[in-house]
């Protein structure tokens, strides 16, 4: 079920920064307290393959997000200690050394479960052991959330494990949402900053389509 238009869940999660500090982070509170948008991206596992390419890509674009009053937060179900070990692994050895934004460590899966983004394909009951067995990896898909200054989700997307994200598309979406907030116009297909937007009226769309 889509969470777009709803408040982001108010759940505090352990997080790790590049200094090795572990702290509690509540994404909803961060957005509201700092009056900033938040980009939260989930990846399946530390020390894997597609994941570091995305993590470094978000780092490389970090100043562009900051220019748009947007915080970047990464997240997986790994522990803070594993995050820190990966943060101390050089880039040329597959690590994420140099990444400065926080990484959530949702080890108890409270937040990822609330978002419904865990790879759980089913469950079965073991009558002999009298317990349930999960099917699937129970790690997160590549889910991305854009959250506004009031804590409302205005974009969500979920990629399967092998599919890396396009960081520039999230910059475009933030630009579009900010334009809507500031101008009261809507943004048509393929809109980018500097292009024409329109009012949400029949006359305006007719004029736009004629151009």
């Amino acid at each position: 079920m889509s969470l777009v238009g709803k408040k982001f869940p108010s759940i505090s999660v352990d997080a790790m920064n590049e200094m090795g500090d572990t702290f509690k982070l509540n994404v909803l509170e961060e957005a509201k307290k700092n009056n900033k948008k938040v980009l939260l991206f989930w990846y399946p596992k530390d020390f894997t393959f597609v994941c570091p390419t995305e993590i470094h890509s978000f780092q490389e674009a970090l100043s562009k997000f900051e220019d748009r009053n947007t915080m970047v937060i990464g997240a997986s179900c790994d522990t803070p200690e594993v995050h820190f070990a990966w943060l101390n692994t050089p880039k040329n050895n597959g690590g994420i050394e140099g990444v400065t934004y926080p990484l959530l460590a949702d080890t108890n899966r409270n937040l990822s479960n609330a978002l419904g983004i865990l790879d759980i394909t089913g469950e079965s009951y073991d009558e002999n052991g009298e317990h349930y067995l999960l099917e699937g990896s129970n790690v997160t898909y590549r889910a991305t959330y854009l959250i506004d200054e009031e804590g409302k989700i205005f974009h969500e997307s979920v990629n399967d494990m092998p599919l890396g994200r396009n960081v520039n598309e999230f910059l475009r979406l933030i630009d579009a949402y900010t334009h809507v907030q500031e101008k009261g116009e809507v943004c048509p297909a393929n809109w980018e900053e500097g292009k024409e937007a329109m009012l949400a009226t029949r006359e305006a769309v007719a004029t736009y389509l004629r151009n």
Side-chain angles (χ1 to χ4, degrees):
M1 182 179 296
S2 175
L3 296 176
V4 170
K6 299 180 175 66
K7 291 283 187 182
F8 193 83
S10 182
I11 298 174
S12 295
V13 181
D14 284 339
M16 170 65 66
N17 63 24
E18 80 277 14
M19 302 301 294
D21 300 319
T22 301
F23 56 98
K24 290 290 185 181
L25 193 153
N26 184 306
V27 174
L28 176 67
E29 291 179 359
E30 287 297 308
K32 297 173 70 175
K33 175 181 67 178
N34 295 295
N35 194 35
K36 291 179 180 289
K37 295 180 176 67
V38 176
L39 181 145
L40 171 65
F41 74 97
W42 294 80
Y43 61 92
K45 294 179 183 179
D46 290 359
F47 291 99
T48 52
F49 316 112
V50 175
C51 299
T53 69
E54 294 188 308
I55 290 169
H56 283 298
S57 291
F58 280 111
Q59 178 66 36
E60 290 163 8
L62 189 59
S63 63
K64 295 180 181 179
F65 286 104
E66 291 172 343
D67 288 344
R68 291 162 170 81
N69 195 42
T70 301
M71 304 170 61
V72 173
I73 301 171
S76 77
C77 297
D78 295 278
T79 66
E81 293 79 10
V82 175
H83 281 342
F84 190 54
W86 207 20
L87 283 163
N88 280 282
T89 303
K91 185 177 181 180
N92 61 10
N93 198 28
I96 59 169
E97 187 178 42
V99 169
T100 59
Y101 51 81
L103 299 176
L104 298 186
D106 188 31
T107 53
N108 59 19
R109 291 163 169 74
N110 283 340
L111 182 54
S112 50
N113 184 57
L115 296 170
I117 56 173
L118 290 166
D119 174 26
I120 300 174
T121 57
E123 64 178 32
S124 59
Y125 184 69
D126 182 347
E127 295 183 357
N128 294 325
E130 297 184 347
H131 53 252
Y132 286 95
L133 300 173
L134 293 178
E135 300 168 10
S137 66
N138 200 28
V139 298
T140 67
Y141 292 104
R142 297 187 192 282
T144 313
Y145 296 87
L146 294 177
I147 301 144
D148 73 12
E149 297 86 347
E150 298 299 319
K152 186 183 81 172
I153 299 169
F154 65 91
H155 169 84
E156 65 177 337
S157 58
V158 183
N159 290 7
D160 201 355
M161 309 297 188
L163 305 177
R165 283 161 279 213
N166 184 332
V167 172
N168 287 329
E169 172 63 4
F170 301 113
L171 292 168
R172 189 193 73 84
L173 288 167
I174 291 168
D175 285 342
Y177 190 77
T178 301
H179 185 91
V180 172
Q181 288 177 309
E182 295 178 352
K183 306 296 184 182
E185 297 179 316
V186 295
C187 296
N190 302 317
W191 184 91
E192 295 176 345
E193 184 64 48
K195 289 188 175 180
E196 181 184 358
M198 61 187 184
L199 296 174
T201 66
R202 288 188 177 184
E203 294 80 6
V205 69
T207 300
Y208 180 86
L209 293 174
R210 283 197 297 268
N211 293 336

